[in-house]
């Protein structure tokens, strides 16, 4: 059976032919195709000028995961029913260090989703400058509506298989959608039981047992730090700007906190049920309510309007129709389509910065690039989370804990450096920065050089 490759609009014949092969080898994996196409569009022209990478077949090798582990997870629910889920760990590339990347629990998880995330993670981790390879894992398990005990039994059952594939020098999982402090604790606790060793085999751990200060905040903060640099390039800042944020999970909430601290006014948040619009802005007190609502009560964002009556809830819609200066998509993949991008542009958005992984569809990315609006791709802009995971690994290896100021300072420096790497490879003739090309090429070069050095592996 063939698949339609016409979605990959390109004038570059080499990109088109590479994508045809990739789609043939990886049928029915649209998210993986999308992520690779975006990277190949930057890398294929770069490789034409750097034949050592073509001679070593690097792009073909880099788009093939080292291995994928697929396993069954059986658990029993509170009614005593036997439940079965599927889980994966995609160990994508360990050229720069042990595999590193989150675990996602969501019913939409497929092998395609985890391969796109693992592939992006390889380049993202390279951009951080820390010694981390890339991987991703997860399950189609849906934590929503499950009791704590059900989540615990699922996590323990999953770890019964996963424990033999991970380790501080092998593969170090962390959180992602549906995997936060609760799930990491259950998984880490069970690993410890199974292996009888206490080691930094996961990140995002509780502060009492090897976690790092600022890891919880790191992705959202890092995204805003990166966006600050993007704004500086166009001689402006967050001060007085209206900001539309999507999602209301870990990344979104700490992006709101930092954007507000820097003088921005955040007017939207969302979840899979719809979005809220608060024209007065989501201040520190309202944010504390949201964090409690989402992480303790495990409620829905629609409940916000019961407490703050000047806000409105818009069921089954995304926030991009609300006029804003800055857009920070922080929920999930493909949550800004080209029509929404055009609406944002019509409303004079000045910067778009991805807190989530691949939240912007390919033609929407082009709309922003063609309009000359600074666009920060996730692999650069949301790298703060995995960067502080890397710092958590360092602290675990040293058996010490750094202060909040120390970790936040290092996070700021890493985000500044990532911005610099994007500028190094992505500065256009007019001095503006193509962050998509810059991030792809800068991330690629380090991994590619290591793979060339290793020979045919
Ligand atoms: P959370 O589970 O904490 O929050 C996810 C948020 O996105 C929730 O508001 C959720 O709404 C919403 N969401 C999830 N899936 C969908 C969907 N299919 N449609 C609409 N809304 C959806 O996850 P995180 O905040 O950790 O992750 C958000 C994004 O950031 C993801 O793309 C993740 O890969 C990326 N990321 C996360 C990092 C981290 O450190 N956590 C690091 C780098 C990137 P609902 O409650 O209704 O499901
Ligand atoms: O997408 C990501 O970078 C993450 N979910 C964080 C991964 C990590 O290992 O901290």
């Amino acid at each position: 059976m063939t698949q339609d490759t016409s979605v990959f609009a390109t004038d570059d014949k080499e990109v088109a032919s590479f994508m045809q092969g990739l789609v043939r080898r990886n049928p029915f994996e649209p998210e993986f195709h999308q992520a690779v196409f975006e990277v190949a569009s930057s890398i294929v022209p770069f490789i034409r000028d750097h034949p050592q990478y073509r001679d070593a077949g690097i792009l073909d090798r880099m788009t093939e995961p080292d291995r994928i582990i697929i396993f069954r997870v059986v658990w029993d629910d509170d009614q005593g029913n036997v439940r079965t889920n599927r889980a994966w760990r995609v160990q994508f590339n360990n050229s720069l260090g042990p595999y590193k990347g989150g675990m996602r629990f969501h019913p939409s998880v497929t092998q395609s989703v985890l391969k796109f995330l693992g592939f992006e993670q390889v380049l993202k981790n390279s951009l951080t400058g820390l010694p981390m390879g890339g991987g991703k894992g997860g399950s189609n398990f849906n934590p929503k509506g499950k009791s704590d005990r059900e989540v615990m039994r699922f996590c323990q059952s999953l770890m019964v298989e996963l424990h033999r594939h991970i380790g501080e020098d092998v593969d170090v999982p962390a959180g992602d959608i549906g995997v936060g402090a609760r799930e990491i604790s259950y998984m880490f606790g069970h690993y410890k039981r199974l292996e009888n060793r206490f080691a930094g085999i996961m990140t995002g751990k509780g502060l009492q047992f090897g976690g790092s200060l600022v890891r919880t905040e790191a992705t959202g903060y890092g995204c805003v730090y990166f966006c600050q640099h993007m704004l500086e390039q166009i001689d402006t800042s967050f001060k007085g700007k209206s900001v539309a944020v999507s999602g209301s999970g870990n990344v979104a909430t700490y992006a709101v906190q930092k954007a507000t601290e820097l003088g921005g006014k955040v007017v939207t948040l969302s979840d899979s049920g719809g979005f809220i619009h608060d024209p007065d802005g989501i201040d520190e007190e309202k944010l504390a309510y949201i964090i409690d609502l989402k992480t303790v009560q495990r409620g829905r964002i629609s409940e916000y309007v019961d407490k703050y009556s000047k806000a409105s809830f818009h069921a089954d819609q995304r926030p991009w129709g609300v006029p804003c200066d800055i857009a920070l998509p922080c929920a999930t993949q493909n949550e800004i389509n080209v029509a929404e991008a055009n609406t944002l542009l019509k409303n004079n958005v000045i910067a778009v910065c991805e807190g989530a992984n691949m939240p912007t569809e390919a033609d929407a990315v082009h709309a922003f690039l063609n309009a000359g609006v600074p666009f920060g791709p996730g692999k650069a802009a949301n790298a703060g989370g995995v960067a502080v995971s890397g710092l958590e690994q360092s602290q675990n290896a040293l058996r010490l804990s750094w202060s909040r100021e120390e970790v936040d300072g290092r996070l700021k420096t890493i985000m500044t450096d990532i911005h610099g790497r994007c500028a190094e490879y992505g500065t256009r003739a007019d001095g503006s920065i193509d962050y998509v090309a810059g991030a792809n090429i800068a991330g690629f070069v380090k991994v590619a050089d290591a793979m060339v050095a290793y020979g045919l592996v």
Side-chain angles (χ1 to χ4, degrees):
M1 205 184 277
T2 55
Q3 277 189 78
D4 181 15
T5 51
S6 60
V7 286
F8 306 118
T10 175
D11 297 331
D12 189 322
K13 289 204 172 62
E14 271 187 80
V15 175
S17 123
F18 172 76
M19 285 308 299
Q20 260 173 12
L22 183 108
V23 171
R24 202 176 50 242
R25 291 191 297 279
N26 302 273
F28 309 108
E29 297 190 341
E31 294 86 2
F32 182 55
H33 304 161
Q34 183 184 343
V36 172
F37 176 60
E38 193 237 81
V39 171
S41 303
S42 312
I43 295 303
V44 169
F46 179 77
I47 289 180
R48 273 198 283 270
D49 298 332
H50 299 82
Q52 71 271 28
Y53 301 130
R54 181 195 306 212
D55 296 347
I58 293 295
L59 197 55
D60 283 336
R61 289 159 61 190
M62 217 189 266
T63 47
E64 197 66 43
D66 288 352
R67 70 188 65 75
I68 302 177
I69 299 139
I70 310 177
F71 54 100
R72 181 176 67 234
V73 181
V74 182
W75 54 284
D76 59 336
D77 67 21
D78 288 345
Q79 285 71 46
N81 302 305
V82 176
R83 308 284 288 260
T84 305
N85 286 96
R86 185 178 300 169
W88 293 258
R89 187 71 187 166
V90 180
Q91 298 184 330
F92 218 108
N93 190 306
N94 66 354
S95 297
L96 300 184
Y99 304 106
K100 183 83 197 86
M103 295 287 289
R104 177 178 291 192
F105 294 170
H106 193 274
S108 65
V109 165
T110 60
Q111 182 162 303
S112 169
V113 168
L114 297 177
K115 279 174 72 178
F116 116 65
L117 289 163
F119 178 69
E120 288 280 295
Q121 198 81 47
V122 174
L123 299 172
K124 182 194 307 192
N125 294 2
S126 164
L127 280 171
T128 66
L130 300 175
M132 300 184 291
K136 198 85 186 188
S139 172
N140 55 9
F141 174 73
N142 184 4
K144 269 199 211 101
K146 304 287 189 302
S147 69
D148 287 349
R149 284 297 174 90
E150 288 176 320
V151 172
M152 180 191 77
R153 287 195 293 274
F154 174 79
C155 289
Q156 292 184 338
S157 180
L158 179 139
M159 190 49 85
V160 167
E161 176 63 34
L162 189 65
H163 81 106
R164 46 180 138 248
H165 306 291
I166 63 175
E168 64 273 39
D169 297 321
V170 181
D171 184 355
V172 184
D176 194 80
I177 291 176
V179 178
R182 175 181 63 172
E183 292 75 16
I184 296 283
S185 305
Y186 290 146
M187 285 190 273
F188 180 74
H190 210 58
Y191 176 93
K192 199 167 58 54
R193 271 175 90 189
L194 290 165
E195 292 278 338
N196 190 26
R197 54 193 298 270
F198 191 113
I201 53 88
M202 298 194 83
T203 60
K205 300 184 290 298
L207 294 177
Q208 311 84 344
F209 45 93
S212 173
L213 286 162
V214 192
R215 176 60 189 89
T216 308
E217 299 89 337
T219 312
Y221 281 14
C223 176
V224 170
Y225 294 152
F226 191 87
C227 193
Q228 250 187 319
H229 287 296
M230 291 169 57
L231 295 171
E232 267 168 30
Q233 293 292 312
I234 53 169
D235 297 322
T236 187
S237 72
F238 270 96
K239 208 164 179 47
K241 301 295 186 305
S242 59
V243 186
V245 178
S246 65
S248 48
N250 173 265
V251 180
T253 46
Y254 292 100
V256 172
Q257 189 175 73
K258 190 53 75 177
T260 307
E261 193 186 307
L262 295 177
K265 181 163 94 167
V266 179
V267 290
T268 68
L269 276 174
S270 70
D271 62 20
S272 50
F275 79 91
I276 55 124
H277 178 205
D278 186 341
D280 290 344
I282 298 164
D283 60 19
E284 199 53 46
E285 181 244 310
K286 292 172 181 173
L287 187 64
Y289 162 79
I290 291 166
I291 291 174
D292 180 72
L293 175 72
K294 297 300 276 194
T295 61
V296 182
Q297 316 299 330
R298 298 193 183 269
R300 309 303 302 155
I301 200 67
S302 57
E303 294 169 51
Y304 182 91
V305 299
D306 301 336
K307 188 159 167 72
Y308 301 106
S309 56
K310 279 169 82 181
S312 51
F313 174 66
H314 305 264
D316 301 324
Q317 289 182 52
R318 302 192 285 221
W320 314 122
V322 175
C324 65
D325 299 310
I326 298 164
L328 304 178
C330 295
T332 191
Q333 65 270 12
N334 294 329
E335 52 159 331
I336 301 183
N337 62 28
V338 70
E340 290 162 320
N342 286 328
T343 303
L344 284 162
L345 289 168
K346 187 166 63 64
N347 289 333
N348 298 317
V349 72
I350 62 166
V352 179
C353 193
E354 295 186 330
N357 285 307
M358 206 170 70
T360 315
E361 291 184 14
D363 44 3
V365 173
H366 286 126
F368 293 129
L369 293 179
N370 290 339
V373 167
F375 174 82
K379 65 172 73 67
N382 72 36
V386 75
V388 174
S389 278
L391 300 180
E392 182 173 327
Q393 290 176 268
S394 303
Q395 293 168 80
N396 292 166
L398 295 167
R399 296 191 189 279
L400 49 75
S401 303
W402 293 328
S403 68
R404 173 169 286 275
E405 291 69 31
E406 170 83 29
V407 180
D408 194 33
R410 285 177 187 254
L411 171 62
K412 280 185 185 149
T413 305
I414 289 169
M415 298 316 293
T416 305
D417 290 348
I418 295 174
H419 185 273
R421 287 185 189 108
C422 292
E424 185 183 342
Y425 289 98
T427 301
R428 303 184 183 100
D430 67 1
S432 66
I433 300 171
D434 178 344
Y435 292 96
V436 175
N440 286 338
I441 298 170
F444 170 83
V445 166
K446 270 184 71 179
V447 183
D449 285 345
M451 291 177 79
V452 170
Y454 292 142
L456 299 192
V457 291

